Amino acid sequence: SNLLQVEFSNLLPNLWLSETYTAALTQGTATYTLPARLIAPMAVYLTTTSGSTSADRILTPISTYEYAALPVKTTQGPPTSYWFDRQEEPIMHLWPVPDGNATYTLNMRMVSQPQDAKLPNGHTPEFPYRFLDAFTAGLAARLAVIYRAELEDKRKADAERAWNIAATQDQEDVPLWVAPLIGGYYR
């Protein structure tokens, strides 16, 4: 059952496993080690507080290559981008590095790792009701490999169908807005 939960985690995102993690930023500190349970960022934003005024701003993700290409990684200022280094204990690298001109709080909506299923004491696997069929079908497919090899293909097809139905329901239902940035054309 734990291996099936790992597989579900690898088929990101699983919205039911999301949580908001916050970290107070320190001037001159570019890297922040996150708890191992945090798998992937969904949204990262910075709260900047100056005096009694606070404002939130989305940070832009950059790739490993883009982070490596930054010539001066110690430049200080309000952070505008991040590189999520997906290690066993993930690391969030910010750029520019937080300066001392305001108080910064990093807010991260993250996908989390499910808790391990434990047979003693009957721990229930961590997933919502709408995934019961996907979990059961996935477990049957895994067990068919060992106990009923002649049914393996059928059980895998059942598991894939059940996953697709559940995953289709595990999404945000919001409109998509695409607008060109043409302000520079009219100066």
Side-chain angles (χ1 to χ4, degrees):
S1 130
N2 284 337
L3 292 177
L4 191 56
Q5 287 181 271
V6 170
E7 181 179 336
F8 280 13
S9 290
N10 286 331
L11 297 170
L12 292 174
N14 295 318
L15 298 182
W16 82 86
L17 290 172
S18 63
E19 67 176 270
T20 300
Y21 182 81
T22 61
L25 303 184
T26 306
Q27 179 182 359
T29 303
T31 61
Y32 295 83
T33 301
L34 305 177
R37 74 177 184 279
L38 301 178
I39 297 173
M42 295 170 55
V44 178
Y45 61 98
L46 184 71
T47 301
T48 303
T49 305
S50 184
S52 62
T53 305
S54 290
D56 290 341
R57 186 181 72 241
I58 293 287
L59 298 186
T60 306
I62 58 176
S63 68
T64 304
Y65 180 82
E66 291 166 318
Y67 186 78
L70 293 171
V72 182
K73 293 175 184 57
T74 57
T75 299
Q76 289 194 18
T80 59
S81 57
Y82 70 91
W83 167 44
F84 184 72
D85 189 2
R86 198 171 172 183
Q87 300 298 313
E88 188 171 330
E89 285 188 346
I91 301 168
M92 186 69 75
H93 301 268
L94 301 175
W95 192 87
V97 177
D99 60 19
N101 295 333
T103 301
Y104 301 112
T105 304
L106 187 63
N107 305 286
M108 298 161 276
R109 190 69 184 167
M110 304 288 288
V111 176
S112 303
Q113 174 181 330
Q115 300 226 359
D116 289 344
K118 299 175 185 161
L119 294 180
N121 302 324
H123 182 77
T124 304
E126 186 178 9
F127 55 84
Y129 172 81
R130 64 186 177 276
F131 276 80
L132 284 173
D133 188 38
F135 187 81
T136 304
L139 194 54
R142 286 181 172 268
L143 292 173
V145 172
I146 299 167
Y147 298 106
R148 295 292 301 268
E150 71 277 7
L151 295 176
E152 180 181 353
D153 290 340
K154 183 168 178 28
R155 296 290 76 91
K156 282 184 179 179
D158 291 345
E160 185 176 325
R161 179 181 175 278
W163 169 262
N164 288 336
I165 291 170
T168 300
Q169 295 303 310
D170 198 45
Q171 58 186 323
E172 293 182 326
D173 188 17
V174 295
L176 172 65
W177 295 92
V178 179
L181 183 58
I182 59 173
Y185 293 112
Y186 302 103
R187 288 187 187 188

